[in-house]
Amino acid sequence: MKRLTIPVKSVGSDDWGELSAFGPSVVHQVCGEVVNLANPNFSFAGGHRVRVYSFKKNVHWKIPGGTTFDIGDVKPADPPRRQGRTHHKS
């Protein structure tokens, strides 16, 4: 499975993943089995009014087209450990 690093912005006492780091004009698509409007008038950083939705069960975010992955800091996987054979006496 690939990994993606997302910048985190602290707003009040909460941390929010900043998906706009992928580009302010990018449309983000999020899917979930249950989606509810949690707060229709949330005050975000800088006093911006936004809507907060809650997503539940099987939540995914579609990676915007053209997103590149930098794997330079990813440590290579360790080779698999050898499995010893179990010998049973007959």
Side-chain angles (χ1 to χ4, degrees), residues 28-54:
H28 297 282
Q29 297 179 8
V30 179
C31 67
E33 291 180 37
V34 179
V35 181
N36 293 305
L37 179 60
N39 188 337
N41 199 21
F42 183 73
S43 182
F44 199 62
H48 296 283
R49 292 289 183 196
V50 297
R51 278 150 270 337
V52 177
Y53 292 89
S54 70

Side-chain angles (χ1 to χ4, degrees), residues 6-70:
I6 297 173
V8 175
K9 177 182 275 189
S10 294
V11 180
S13 60
D14 296 320
D15 290 331
W16 293 82
E18 188 175 2
L19 298 181
S20 62
F22 293 94
S25 63
V26 173
V27 173
H28 297 282
Q29 297 179 8
V30 179
C31 67
E33 291 180 37
V34 179
V35 181
N36 293 305
L37 179 60
N39 188 337
N41 199 21
F42 183 73
S43 182
F44 199 62
H48 296 283
R49 292 289 183 196
V50 297
R51 278 150 270 337
V52 177
Y53 292 89
S54 70
F55 292 80
K56 185 176 178 182
K57 293 185 176 182
N58 200 20
V59 178
H60 289 81
W61 165 63
K62 184 176 181 180
I63 307 298
T67 301
T68 57
F69 296 92
D70 178 3

